[in-house]
Amino acid sequence: MPPRPVIELVGRDEEVERVRAALGTDGEGGAVLLGGDAGIGKTALVGRLVSLAGDRRVLVGHCVGEVGTSLPYLPFVEVFAGLDARERDVVDDLVEVHPGLVPLVPRLAAGARGDAVRADLVEAVHGALSDLGRRGPVLLVVEDVHWADESTRELLTLLFTRGGPEGVGLLATYRSDDVHRRHPLSAALAVWSRLPGLTRVDLGPLPDAAVRRIVGRGGEALAPRVVDDLVRRAEGNAFFAEELAAATRSGTGDAEDLQRLLLTRVDQLDDAAQGVVRVGAVIGRRVPHVLLERVAGVDPGVLRASLRAAVEHHVLEPWGDRGYEFRHALLAEAVLDDLLPHERLQLHRACAEALVEDPSLGTEADLARHALASGDRELALTAAVRAGDSARRMGGPAEALAHYESALALLPPDGAEGHDLTLRAASAANAAGRPMRAGALLRARLGTDLPTPLERAALLAALAFAARMTEERVDRLAVTAEALDLLDDDAPVGLRVSVLTRRAEALMDAGATAEAVEVADEAMALAVEHDLWVDRTDLSSILARLSEVAGDPGESIRRLEGAVAEWRDVPDLALLRAMHVLAGVHYRQGEYDKALAGFERTWAEARRVGLGSSVWGSDARAFAVTTAYEMGDWDLALRLADEAAGAGLPSSALAGIDAAAAYVRAARGVVSADELLGASRPWWGEDGRIAVQAGSAAFEVLGRDGDLDAMLALHDELVAFLRELWGFERVAAEVRLAAVALGHLATALRSAPAARRAALLERAASLRDAAAAVWGPGSALPAPTLEGRAWEQRARAEWLRVRWACGEDVALDDLVDAWRRTVSMFEERAEPYELARSLLRLAEVLAAPGDPEAAAVADRARSLARGLGARPLLDALDRVATRPAATGLTARESEVLALLAEGRSNGEIGRALFISTKTASVHVSNILAKLGASSRGEAVALARAEGLLGG
């Protein structure tokens, strides 16, 4: 096949200009996500943009597709390594100002000590790019993000969310045909697509005219019939069109698939050059010259000639001064797939041997991949563990977990080293926000007979820790009891403290407060004696929570503030937990400002050290949203939730934050029950709070919409699910659900047909009984907080309203008093929305006898609802008649008149307005007298004539 000349980009002028404009043609900066199928022209378009960059500093990094090479932040390592090679003084200046950049500069990373703090690294990248942008315009390109490691995806999310540093144009490309529903990039694309500062450009098939131009270049003219056939077969794919045309001119154009065409190009090389290309394909799409030279094992002159031929035939292209890269990823894939099994095995073995002899030729991840492919499981195991350690040091827990899991899969059946490796993998999983994965790894190890008694104790303690962060049904009391029994007198102090700590947690969660304090105190004494700093902080959280349960929140706050203030190391899960618990104490005490500040501080620290995805990190943001909702700053709640959507969190963490925002969206009437349930239900099993918040928000919407059957069915589903999930006969959420359901049933009972009323009343009675039993005699739950007591009172008030609606003999004074107490409790809670809803009910019952206070109460509720933007609540308030009518009829008489016009009997009017039949009859008599009518029908006719019924 003759060499193919380099041709200009064809048919993409519009896309080029669109991308240039989004990146800032004058150097102001911008962000673009460029997608398209393999071979559609993404790389060519990037090349055109680079050629048009002018005086912009161009930085390019690539993600790689080889399994097992997930070095954290790989494209950014390439970016800063390339910049360091060209402008070392610039890099030195950047590192001096942003020391977190060190792990990304290979020249400096080798001498670094300690683990990298992910947030420091991320902030350093953003800061360094900002500094470069101030020196002059920058074009930063990250190619092939469909192969990106998780840390790179999170870093790109941060850069996209912030809109990119000023002066920096950020362009990321990905292969869209590779991204399926479960692809790791899929969730990130969903987040990126919602960002207002990001322009998304998708390259579709080229028009036939552009494909004809591509086919017509590069050699002798082809017959029109042949061109038509090639255009049809290319299907708008530029790369396929080029290869088809080149193959046709060489006489090998019958191949129907792209892989065969690509191999035809390679087949035109001589045997030596083909051998070098095959070695390169095994090494990867990027081929360092030094490693290629070592593995190819040919004479330097032959190697030079082979490489020149491969470049001239456009199989390889120069890769800076480091080596070569395949012209297209599809070409590397085709060559690799064409290798015979024994050829592939031998070449991987040669690569592994070269990397063992000279580790500078690649990474531990590279070594693990080649060793595994060559069948050397022992070497692959060792390299995978070291790759995991390296990823952890770079602040990439997700990548560390992947390598540790690869290593675990390589362990021999009797691998004793699996104990430490399992604990490392579980720790990485927790740090990456995947505690359920941690639990699965620990259970798998516990399911073998390999662990010694002390090792089993350590695994059980770790399982108890992971289980507490999930909703898995693990009997942590039994697990920690077994772990304690396995400890002997010679057990390491650190292990004993760890087991005691998890035991204290389990006892605390089971309500065994006194025993939990005793165990926690024993563990704390050991932690203090042996200066186990992390354990001391963890235990401070437990003891503080126990103090709060015992009725001494002040002691809880004192303990936690002391633990946080004395922390002297890089923040980890123990400190984040202490900060989270401290904020939680303030939250449960109704100190919303302090709680919100505490949760946000926890979230900020978690993100700073790369633990934003951890339970304590993402939960802190979810609780911040909840706190903002309850304190009435709903715009802030939604803003906090939206910000988290751009933080690169796992889908489960985002589901928890979205659930926290569900109350706001439901109360503002901007979301349906189906939307809330569809988005949240897949995550109920991972976090019961998601079920409580999103489920009860959907429950509210169904009741408000009058869909009582769906509301009651959801009630039963939620209650059964939560009881099973948490292992309690009753759960606290039942009280709120019952109170809300009773309210909607009371409203429905006012106008329900007689046949329906009996069933609704029976269901209401069962809800009343369920709410009363939650904290009733024999309850296993801790005593209710102020919030719980407020909802208990609300349920009692709504039950009275149900009875009133049914025409039962309920003293109006008792009903008013019940709602005054409810209002008072939500006032004490300082929860404006629930206060406003309670005021609505109070206004309704005050308006029944025409009490003039009803108007002032309704106005207060209306003011609160308006400030929150609670449109459905405002609509409900508008339906409450609390002022005298201008016609001489009272407000209540106007309501009775409207029902008279519907043909209602006195009994039906009474039920609809929560008044007795006798009272309704009195109102009807007053209306007849005021209108001068002798009958109900005449009264309605006169009212219509006078415009009292709206026409």
Side-chain angles (χ1 to χ4, degrees):
M1 179 182 296
R4 179 188 57 201
V6 179
I7 61 175
E8 63 180 282
L9 182 67
V10 173
R12 297 294 186 191
D13 292 344
E14 181 181 344
E15 290 93 336
V16 168
E17 290 309 311
R18 184 180 172 197
V19 173
R20 288 188 71 201
L23 292 174
T25 53
D26 295 328
E28 60 271 26
V32 175
L33 181 64
L34 178 67
D37 291 350
I40 204 69
K42 298 182 298 298
T43 301
L45 192 148
V46 170
R48 168 70 68 82
L49 292 169
V50 169
S51 70
L52 297 173
D55 60 352
R56 275 192 171 189
R57 179 184 274 111
V58 177
L59 307 173
V60 181
H62 298 77
C63 305
V64 297
E66 290 78 28
V67 176
T69 57
S70 51
L71 179 69
Y73 310 107
L74 183 60
F76 290 91
V77 171
E78 180 185 352
V79 162
F80 286 103
L83 182 63
D84 190 46
R86 299 188 303 273
E87 302 179 76
R88 176 168 294 193
D89 57 335
V90 171
V91 170
D92 287 339
D93 290 344
L94 293 174
V95 169
E96 183 176 356
V97 179
H98 309 285
L101 207 61
V102 166
L104 303 182
V105 183
R107 169 174 61 90
L108 304 174
R113 295 183 179 181
D115 294 353
V117 177
R118 174 181 289 198
D120 288 348
L121 184 149
V122 169
E123 291 298 332
V125 171
H126 189 272
L129 291 175
S130 298
D131 289 352
L132 288 173
R134 283 189 286 271
R135 292 175 180 233
V138 174
L139 173 61
L140 171 62
V141 180
V142 180
E143 293 204 67
D144 300 325
V145 296
H146 52 282
W147 287 324
D149 55 274
E150 184 168 327
S151 294
T152 292
R153 292 196 299 272
E154 291 185 3
L155 177 50
L156 285 171
T157 296
L158 178 137
L159 294 175
F160 286 148
T161 302
R162 293 187 179 182
E166 185 176 353
V168 178
L170 173 56
L171 171 64
T173 73
Y174 74 100
R175 191 191 289 182
S176 56
D177 51 335
D178 270 12
V179 182
H180 48 79
R181 185 171 62 88
R182 295 183 179 275
H183 192 282
L185 186 63
S186 180
L189 288 175
V191 172
W192 296 347
S193 297
R194 298 198 298 266
L195 298 176
L198 176 68
T199 300
R200 185 165 178 174
V201 177
D202 295 306
L203 297 185
L206 284 167
D208 286 354
V211 178
R212 288 179 185 280
R213 288 178 58 192
I214 293 173
V215 169
R217 292 171 182 243
E220 63 186 84
L222 298 172
R225 179 185 57 80
V226 174
V227 171
D228 289 343
D229 181 58
L230 295 182
V231 170
R232 176 186 59 79
R233 291 167 62 191
E235 297 182 339
N237 188 293
F239 188 54
F240 201 3
E242 293 175 16
E243 295 302 319
L244 281 168
T248 298
R249 289 188 176 94
S250 68
T252 57
D254 293 333
E256 287 296 327
D257 65 275
L258 181 57
Q259 180 171 336
R260 189 63 257 164
L261 283 173
L262 295 173
L263 291 176
T264 300
R265 178 175 291 281
V266 175
D267 289 344
Q268 301 305 304
L269 301 172
D270 62 28
D271 290 345
Q274 288 186 40
V276 169
V277 168
R278 291 181 184 121
V279 172
V282 170
I283 291 174
R285 184 182 176 188
R286 292 291 181 79
V287 188
H289 182 85
V290 288
L291 182 58
L292 177 65
E293 186 176 35
R294 182 79 62 91
V295 176
V298 298
D299 180 82
V302 173
L303 179 63
R304 285 194 299 272
S306 298
L307 288 170
R308 179 170 293 279
V311 170
E312 289 175 349
H313 281 74
H314 296 278
V315 175
L316 298 177
E317 294 177 346
W319 170 34
D321 58 359
R322 298 182 60 187
Y324 305 88
E325 61 182 340
F326 280 86
R327 175 178 173 269
H328 199 284
L330 292 173
L331 186 51
E333 293 166 11
V335 175
L336 186 62
D337 288 344
D338 191 56
L339 286 173
L340 296 174
H342 78 278
E343 289 179 307
R344 189 180 295 115
L345 182 72
Q346 290 175 349
L347 289 175
H348 277 298
R349 182 174 298 154
C351 288
E353 291 171 352
L355 290 169
V356 168
E357 291 174 8
D358 186 355
S360 68
L361 297 177
T363 67
E364 293 291 350
D366 293 327
L367 176 57
R369 176 172 65 89
H370 290 303
L372 181 61
S374 70
D376 192 338
R377 295 173 63 89
E378 183 176 352
L379 178 59
L381 169 61
T382 302
V385 172
R386 290 202 296 253
D389 293 343
S390 176
R392 189 196 68 240
R393 287 192 298 272
M394 287 189 68
E399 291 74 33
L401 173 62
H403 289 303
Y404 290 144
E405 288 195 310
S406 296
L408 284 168
L410 295 169
L411 278 175
D414 59 347
E417 63 269 39
H419 170 71
D420 179 65
L421 187 53
T422 299
L423 291 177
R424 279 199 243 184
S427 177
N430 287 329
R434 300 172 188 170
M436 294 188 74
R437 186 59 183 166
L441 293 167
L442 294 162
R443 281 194 297 272
R445 184 68 179 177
L446 285 163
T448 70
D449 58 2
L450 295 175
T452 65
L454 291 182
E455 288 176 342
R456 184 172 180 81
L459 292 166
L460 289 169
L463 177 60
F465 177 76
R468 191 174 191 271
M469 294 192 288
T470 69
E471 299 294 356
E472 290 187 278
R473 294 298 301 275
V474 174
D475 187 345
R476 292 187 292 117
L477 284 176
V479 165
T480 54
E482 180 187 351
L484 274 177
D485 289 342
L486 291 170
L487 299 181
D488 56 29
D489 293 340
D490 296 326
V493 172
L495 175 58
R496 184 176 299 279
V497 171
S498 176
V499 172
L500 288 170
T501 301
R502 304 286 81 85
R503 177 66 177 170
E505 273 180 345
L507 290 166
M508 175 181 67
D509 294 340
T513 303
E515 188 178 353
V517 170
E518 182 180 344
V519 173
D521 281 341
E522 179 186 352
M524 180 64 87
L526 288 170
V528 171
E529 179 184 353
H530 296 275
D531 199 23
L532 302 176
W533 192 254
V534 173
D535 296 281
R536 285 177 60 180
T537 304
D538 219 9
L539 286 160
S540 293
S541 300
I542 296 171
L543 288 166
R545 186 74 181 96
L546 288 167
S547 296
E548 185 185 10
V549 170
D552 191 356
E555 173 63 12
S556 296
I557 292 171
R558 186 191 65 77
R559 283 181 178 273
L560 291 164
E561 286 180 341
V564 171
E566 294 175 9
W567 186 266
R568 60 191 185 198
D569 205 346
V570 175
D572 72 354
L573 292 178
L575 176 62
L576 295 179
R577 178 187 181 184
M579 296 171 68
H580 190 288
V581 174
L582 174 59
V585 175
H586 288 304
Y587 169 76
R588 286 183 289 276
Q589 295 305 306
E591 298 171 344
Y592 290 136
D593 289 339
K594 291 181 179 179
L596 181 60
F599 286 130
E600 282 299 271
R601 180 185 175 193
T602 307
W603 164 254
E605 280 298 297
R607 294 202 68 200
R608 191 178 74 79
V609 296
L611 296 173
S613 298
S614 69
V615 169
W616 306 118
S618 59
D619 254 24
R621 176 44 68 98
F623 273 94
V625 173
T626 299
T627 304
Y629 159 74
E630 292 190 1
M631 67 193 296
D633 195 341
W634 287 7
D635 291 337
L636 173 63
L638 294 179
R639 187 166 69 251
L640 293 176
D642 290 342
E643 286 175 0
L649 296 176
S651 298
S652 57
L654 288 174
I657 294 168
D658 285 344
Y663 283 139
V664 177
R665 296 187 173 105
R668 283 186 166 174
V670 295
V671 67
S672 70
D674 287 343
E675 289 171 324
L676 290 168
L677 294 173
S680 68
R681 194 176 259 124
W683 306 105
W684 286 12
E686 290 200 20
D687 188 344
R689 182 180 55 76
I690 296 176
V692 170
Q693 293 185 314
S696 58
F699 184 78
E700 297 262 17
V701 172
L702 290 170
R704 187 180 68 215
D705 292 346
D707 193 346
L708 298 185
D709 291 336
M711 179 192 76
L712 294 171
L714 178 57
H715 170 276
D716 295 344
E717 179 189 4
L718 268 172
V719 169
F721 176 82
L722 293 170
R723 288 176 179 177
E724 171 67 19
L725 184 68
W726 290 331
F728 288 106
E729 186 178 351
R730 303 279 183 184
V731 294
E734 291 183 63
V735 178
R736 176 178 184 142
L737 292 172
V740 171
L742 286 168
H744 291 305
L745 289 174
T747 300
L749 280 164
R750 290 189 298 177
S751 56
R756 174 75 162 151
R757 287 178 61 224
L760 292 179
L761 182 58
E762 181 180 357
R763 187 59 195 271
S766 70
L767 289 166
R768 181 274 318 268
D769 293 342
V774 169
W775 286 297
S779 173
L781 298 177
T785 61
L786 173 60
E787 179 185 19
R789 297 196 305 275
W791 281 103
E792 270 191 318
Q793 175 56 37
R794 172 91 164 264
R796 287 192 288 267
E798 291 287 18
W799 169 244
L800 284 177
R801 187 165 161 265
V802 166
R803 293 175 56 206
W804 191 46
C806 292
E808 293 187 15
D809 188 16
V810 175
L812 189 59
D813 286 347
D814 290 344
L815 186 59
V816 170
D817 183 62
W819 281 107
R820 288 194 191 280
R821 288 198 301 270
T822 305
V823 166
S824 177
M825 296 191 81
F826 281 111
E827 278 181 319
E828 186 180 354
R829 275 272 298 165
E831 192 172 347
Y833 182 59
E834 296 307 335
L835 173 59
R837 293 212 291 179
S838 300
L839 287 167
L840 164 65
R841 294 289 191 243
L842 178 58
E844 286 177 341
V845 298
L846 286 171
D851 191 324
E853 184 189 353
V857 172
D859 284 345
R860 185 181 174 199
R862 189 173 289 107
S863 176
L864 290 168
R866 190 176 295 114
L868 296 169
R871 185 70 258 169
L873 180 55
L874 286 168
D875 292 341
L877 282 160
D878 288 343
R879 292 192 291 270
V880 178
T882 58
R883 291 179 174 83
T887 62
L889 298 180
T890 67
R892 178 57 76 193
E893 288 166 353
S894 295
E895 291 180 315
V896 171
L897 176 61
L899 294 172
L900 275 178
E902 295 177 7
R904 303 283 188 99
S905 67
N906 288 346
E908 290 172 332
I909 291 171
R911 286 193 298 275
L913 298 179
F914 302 113
I915 57 179
S916 68
T917 301
K918 182 177 179 180
T919 301
S921 176
V922 171
H923 284 310
V924 171
S925 297
N926 290 338
I927 292 170
L928 295 178
K930 290 181 178 182
L931 294 177
S934 59
S935 69
R936 297 159 69 96
E938 184 183 0
V940 170
L942 289 170
R944 290 193 189 281
E946 294 181 23
L948 302 181
L949 290 171

